[in-house]
Amino acid sequence: MDGPLQPEKGAADAPFYLPQGDEIPVFTAAHENDLPVLLKGPTGCGKTRFVTHMAARLDRPLHTVACHDDLSAADLIGRYLLKGGETVWVDGPLTRAVREGAICYLDEVVEARKDVTVVLHPLTDDRRILPIDRTGEEIEAAPGFMLVASYNPGYQNILKTLKPSTRQRFISLEFTFPKPEHEIPVVARESGLSEERVKPLVRLANKLRDLKGQDLEEGVSTRLVVYAATLIRQGMPVERAIRVAMIEPLTDDADVKRGLLDLVTAVFG
């Protein structure tokens, strides 16, 4: 396709998202057919923005959960809490989404404890139910409920991965960093810096991404490019903005940083 893609019609009230392929119609079809979706891709490539955009586009409430090592099934489902001298049940974000017919987004789901994925299984097949052992309830998902999860395959290891039995309960969309002709207008729009000044930042970002697996564990995200462009628009010198937004977040190794700064000089002169 020639030139940058344009946001689709009907998304005027949704947070800005520039589609890279057919992810919008695929996600829409999944929602219409009660299918759970797994988003795969590197950090900062637009997965969370995409879900936020789609929730607004589909006019569904959105409950986002940032998964971490200590996140348990009880954190998602709910628990009894003491309020005003009484013990009351308080729904967690997953339970609220199931009751409301909302979208529940589990960001970086592989970071959560293993008991979390077990809870998800009855919601990702034709039963679409959420059993709550503590209350004895078995909640049937309200119309419009959708389960969406994301993870970064680049960080997978033997201890943190999704079992095949879980992965095969979702349809999957693979995300990557946008092509330069798409990333430049996105960064310009988000930062307020002109496209002409954004171009070398995106060129540098792609050179840094080429180093993934060599000197760097992960490539620079579109989010960091936006940060650098924002600082430049605010008047910060280009080299300093790049260092604090695109170099320092990538590594603590002094030798690697020197090599990356040489790359900055090569790109910007």
Side-chain angles (χ1 to χ4, degrees), residues 163-174:
K163 293 181 179 179
S165 59
T166 300
R167 288 170 61 106
Q168 293 189 35
R169 291 174 177 270
F170 294 80
I171 69 167
S172 293
L173 282 168
E174 185 172 6

Side-chain angles (χ1 to χ4, degrees), residues 55-164:
R57 188 186 191 91
L58 296 169
D59 194 25
R60 304 312 306 162
L62 175 64
H63 297 278
T64 298
V65 181
C67 298
H68 52 80
D69 290 341
D70 294 327
L71 185 78
S72 66
D75 294 320
L76 289 181
I77 294 175
R79 50 171 53 89
Y80 283 105
L81 297 176
L82 191 62
K83 286 190 175 183
E86 292 185 305
T87 302
V88 296
W89 173 262
V90 178
D91 285 342
L94 177 61
T95 305
R96 291 197 299 272
V98 170
R99 292 189 197 277
E100 296 171 8
I103 295 174
C104 184
Y105 174 46
L106 305 181
D107 188 16
E108 297 295 345
V109 66
V110 294
E111 299 294 335
R113 284 167 36 173
K114 296 300 181 184
D115 62 333
V116 167
T117 56
V118 176
V119 169
L120 304 180
H121 284 186
L123 287 168
T124 54
D125 57 30
D126 57 357
R127 291 173 291 174
R128 284 173 59 82
I129 59 170
L130 178 63
I132 303 180
D133 294 336
R134 299 291 299 275
T135 65
E137 288 183 273
E138 189 174 272
I139 308 172
E140 185 174 344
F145 168 76
M146 184 179 192
L147 183 63
V148 183
S150 73
Y151 77 106
N152 179 355
Y155 284 142
Q156 276 192 287
N157 58 45
I158 194 169
L159 297 177
K160 288 187 176 181
T161 185
L162 288 178
K163 293 181 179 179

